[in-house]
Amino acid sequence: MADEGLTPHRRDPIKSSVGNVAAQRRRQNAVTVGKERRESLVRAKRLCRVGTSGDSEVSVDNDMMVDEEQSILETQTAAAGDLVRGDDGGVYFRNAELLMTGESTEQSLIYRKYGDYYTEQLYSDLGKRKNVTKLGKGAMHKRVDALRELRRILSRFEFPPVETALKAGAISTLVQCLSFGSPDEQLLEAAWCLTNIAAGKQEETKALLPALPLLIAHLGEKSSLPVAEQCAWALGNVAGEEEELRDVLLAQGALPPLARMMLPNKGSTVRTAAWALSNLIKGPDPKAASELIRVNGVLDAILCHLKKANEELATEVAWVVVYLSALSNVATSMLVKSDVLPQLVERLATTNSLQLLIPVLRSLGNLVAGDSNTICDILVPGHKVIEVLVKCLKSEHRVLKKEAAWVLSNIAAGSVEHKQLICSSEALALLLHLLSTSQSDIRKEVAYVLGNLCVSPTEGDGKPRLIQEHLISLVSRGCLPGFIDLVRSADIEAARLGLQFMELVLRGMPNGEGPKLVEQEDGIDAMERFQFHENEDLRNMANGLVDKYFGEDYGVDD
């Protein structure tokens, strides 16, 4: 039976009036995390400076080039990839090595027609050919040298002159150089050039469409590992661009060979394949994620790499788990039944790498949100998961704090026993501090945790059952001002969370203390800003609370 995406699960009891679905948040996070990853953590598209075979590139000048230098570079790129078509349909490819040594651009050309290669000397007329002789190994070497020079130009700077290379006709030349039977050195250089072209702008990435079938074909077992890895890198850049290109790659069969590249313990090859796969399956359609987890051996490979791999490889594998657990019910179920949860917790406990911590945390949160039984699986004796989440809450990194609070919010939405584990841990004091001092996105996740600690899940759309003991404890420790500040927020979701917690205080504090506590913190004024608010839910909620608890009879007894 095909996986149709995620089945909604209520995981936020505090939001009974809206019925927020954790699975939907999970999918939304999966779609948006690509942007976070590209801009802040690991680029979704990567420029290849050092090849898969270890070939070191020239030193990189990160300073912005002056106009004159850029002009020279574009001229060299055009020369390296320039195509001149003859009147008989042949294609001329200028020898970049000769150009770079300063020799005349009309002195030597590599001539390609119907798969045979020739050379000729030109004098004044490009269309007039003389002394045509068939080339052997020498021509092959010259072709590789030309490709290598083009690759160096496309690898040298932060923003390579890809547009110039495309105008020079580089793609058609590179596609021809990927033909079967070509030497590995030629295949590697051509795939490397395509990798860096695909790392460019959207229209530049799309220019690789004619090359995709050959790049996928060279992922096969008969290809050398450096060639297969470089092709995977190029495909990863294409997949990182947009959903439309991912669909093209999936339709052309890119996923199975990339998945098989994850199976052996081949270091950088597995890392590149995992990175490319995380780009390929990141949705929003769940079909690719479901297909990947079903590939024989992939789940075992994921577990092995999470357990034994170095941090670089474990990071890429963890991103694969992020999208698997975010998008596919099939994958989530298989991951939960495997040994992946303890491996994620162990990685959280033992690493300080931000690049690794973030996808591991996200994966753990996805799995907890997807299945309420998973919470019991991770809360093993000793409650190590709470300890590692406390470690993340203490971090200086904003993203880690936010992700840790999100995982805790899903744990807090579980049973009373799970809530008590949080309440009795160091996490509670940290959460209360973050509610009043952190950035708005972190405060919002913290509000979910604290709100869920005070209520138990209920069936249907009724009000959540109040856990008065937890509510009294939190209010006595000073959390109410933080929630009232959320009510004043321009963020609709944050304001709703603030109002929902105020409702708990108003109806749940003993001896009718709730209204007085809210009034003391200027909560009435905070709610009155919604009197004519455009959001109907918030307007009705706030006005209803004011009318019910602060009507004409309020304060009469006093």
Side-chain angles (χ1 to χ4, degrees):
M1 183 175 180
D3 182 35
E4 299 297 335
L6 297 171
T7 304
H9 301 282
R10 293 185 182 275
R11 303 293 295 131
D12 296 302
I14 193 174
K15 301 192 69 178
S16 59
S17 60
V18 181
N20 186 52
V21 178
Q24 293 175 347
R25 293 184 67 202
R26 201 162 99 224
R27 296 190 67 176
Q28 181 181 7
N29 283 337
V31 174
T32 59
V33 74
K35 181 178 179 182
E36 296 173 13
R37 185 183 184 194
R38 178 164 55 250
E39 294 178 353
S40 304
L41 303 171
V42 183
R43 289 167 60 103
K45 300 172 72 174
R46 299 174 176 176
L47 195 65
C48 181
R49 299 195 187 282
V50 178
T52 58
S53 60
D55 183 15
S56 179
E57 194 41 72
V58 294
S59 60
V60 180
D61 181 7
N62 287 325
D63 295 331
M64 185 174 292
M65 295 182 296
V66 297
D67 292 342
E68 181 179 0
E69 290 174 319
Q70 180 69 40
S71 176
I72 293 173
L73 186 60
E74 290 181 355
T75 300
Q76 292 173 336
T77 304
D82 196 12
L83 296 171
V84 183
R85 293 193 175 275
D87 54 7
D88 60 351
V91 179
Y92 296 86
F93 183 67
R94 290 182 185 162
N95 191 327
E97 182 181 32
L98 296 177
L99 292 175
M100 299 303 293
T101 56
E103 295 189 35
S104 168
T105 59
E106 296 179 0
Q107 284 184 346
S108 182
L109 297 177
I110 296 175
Y111 176 67
R112 184 177 72 244
K113 180 182 180 183
Y114 309 123
D116 293 326
Y117 291 81
Y118 302 86
T119 187
E120 65 176 341
Q121 299 295 320
L122 294 185
Y123 297 96
S124 58
D125 184 2
L126 289 176
K128 189 176 182 181
R129 293 178 296 282
K130 299 178 181 180
N131 302 324
V132 179
T133 56
K134 189 170 183 177
L135 291 179
K137 292 183 178 180
M140 290 290 185
H141 288 312
K142 289 182 179 180
R143 189 178 315 116
V144 171
D145 288 343
L147 286 171
R148 183 178 294 114
E149 193 56 54
L150 177 58
R151 177 260 293 175
R152 286 173 176 166
I153 294 172
L154 291 171
S155 306
R156 190 170 298 167
F157 298 95
E158 185 67 25
F159 300 102
V162 173
E163 182 178 358
T164 305
L166 293 180
K167 289 180 180 178
I171 293 295
S172 58
T173 297
L174 296 171
V175 171
Q176 290 290 335
C177 290
L178 286 175
S179 59
F180 285 99
S182 300
D184 284 350
E185 190 175 10
Q186 176 178 312
L187 294 171
L188 182 63
E189 294 291 349
W192 191 339
C193 290
L194 290 167
T195 297
N196 287 353
I197 291 173
K201 301 174 184 177
Q202 184 181 58
E203 60 274 14
E204 295 166 351
T205 305
K206 287 185 174 181
L208 262 70
L209 282 171
L212 297 184
L214 282 170
L215 288 170
I216 295 171
H218 285 299
L219 298 176
E221 296 177 355
K222 294 183 179 180
S223 299
S224 69
L225 278 179
V227 170
E229 182 179 350
Q230 195 64 63
C231 290
W233 195 331
L235 295 170
N237 276 344
V238 174
E241 180 57 52
E242 61 176 18
E243 182 184 0
E244 180 182 349
L245 288 175
R246 290 194 286 276
D247 290 341
V248 171
L249 290 172
L250 291 169
Q252 293 183 358
L255 191 145
L258 279 174
R260 286 191 289 271
M261 288 177 67
M262 278 189 65
L263 304 185
N265 189 15
K266 297 294 184 179
S268 67
T269 302
V270 179
R271 185 172 68 245
T272 301
W275 167 76
L277 282 168
S278 69
N279 274 347
L280 187 61
I281 68 171
K282 66 182 179 182
D285 194 315
K287 293 180 181 178
S290 298
E291 180 183 351
L292 175 60
I293 200 65
R294 290 187 177 109
V295 174
N296 188 35
V298 163
L299 182 56
D300 290 337
I302 288 173
L303 292 171
C304 177
H305 298 319
L306 283 178
K307 184 176 183 178
K308 299 180 179 180
N310 59 37
E311 289 188 341
E312 286 186 89
L313 175 53
T315 297
E316 299 304 343
V317 173
W319 278 111
V320 174
V321 178
V322 167
Y323 296 114
L324 288 173
S325 57
L327 295 169
S328 168
N329 272 337
V330 171
T332 300
S333 177
M334 293 176 68
L335 288 167
V336 168
K337 292 176 182 177
S338 72
D339 197 34
V340 72
L341 286 166
Q343 298 305 326
L344 293 172
V345 174
E346 182 63 24
R347 282 289 184 174
L348 281 177
T350 58
T351 185
N352 291 315
S353 167
L354 177 65
Q355 283 73 24
L356 177 55
L357 283 170
I358 289 174
V360 168
L361 261 178
R362 179 62 63 87
S363 298
L364 186 60
N366 285 345
L367 293 172
V368 171
D371 184 353
S372 58
N373 294 325
T374 308
I375 302 176
C376 298
D377 294 334
I378 66 170
L379 293 177
V380 294
H383 317 311
K384 189 175 182 179
V385 67
I386 302 294
E387 295 175 8
V388 296
L389 293 174
V390 165
K391 166 189 169 181
C392 295
L393 290 176
K394 290 180 177 179
S395 170
E396 296 298 322
H397 296 287
R398 179 187 65 82
V399 177
L400 283 184
K401 294 177 182 178
K402 178 182 176 181
E403 295 292 338
W406 179 56
V407 178
L408 284 167
S409 73
N410 284 304
I411 295 175
S415 69
V416 174
E417 291 74 19
H418 297 151
K419 301 174 195 295
Q420 289 173 343
L421 286 176
I422 297 175
C423 290
S424 61
S425 72
E426 188 182 354
L428 187 61
L430 294 169
L431 291 166
L432 290 168
H433 177 71
L434 291 173
L435 181 65
S436 59
T437 62
S438 59
Q439 298 94 329
S440 59
D441 57 341
I442 298 176
R443 293 170 61 204
K444 196 159 54 175
E445 292 299 338
V446 169
Y448 276 115
V449 184
L450 298 177
N452 284 341
L453 289 176
C454 296
V455 293
S456 292
T458 56
E459 298 295 330
D461 294 327
K463 289 183 179 180
R465 183 174 65 83
L466 183 67
I467 304 176
Q468 191 178 56
E469 177 186 356
H470 290 177
L471 177 66
I472 294 172
S473 175
L474 292 180
V475 172
S476 67
R477 298 180 67 168
C479 77
L480 183 56
F483 278 98
I484 291 177
D485 283 342
L486 290 179
V487 175
R488 297 189 178 97
S489 171
D491 186 315
I492 296 299
E493 184 181 3
R496 181 180 287 111
L497 285 169
L499 286 172
Q500 289 169 337
F501 190 83
M502 286 174 64
E503 190 272 336
L504 296 179
V505 172
L506 289 169
R507 72 178 167 95
M509 291 300 289
N511 304 319
E513 294 178 0
K516 293 180 180 179
L517 292 173
V518 169
E519 182 183 20
Q520 289 171 7
E521 300 296 339
D522 293 329
I524 300 175
D525 178 71
M527 287 187 289
E528 285 182 341
R529 66 181 285 264
F530 292 100
Q531 186 175 1
F532 302 104
H533 198 274
E534 61 183 10
N535 186 290
E536 183 178 2
D537 288 338
L538 295 185
R539 184 174 67 247
N540 293 338
M541 191 185 309
N543 291 340
L545 291 176
V546 171
D547 292 342
K548 181 175 181 178
Y549 293 101
F550 302 99
E552 295 180 358
D553 296 335
Y554 176 70
V556 171
D557 293 342
D558 295 339

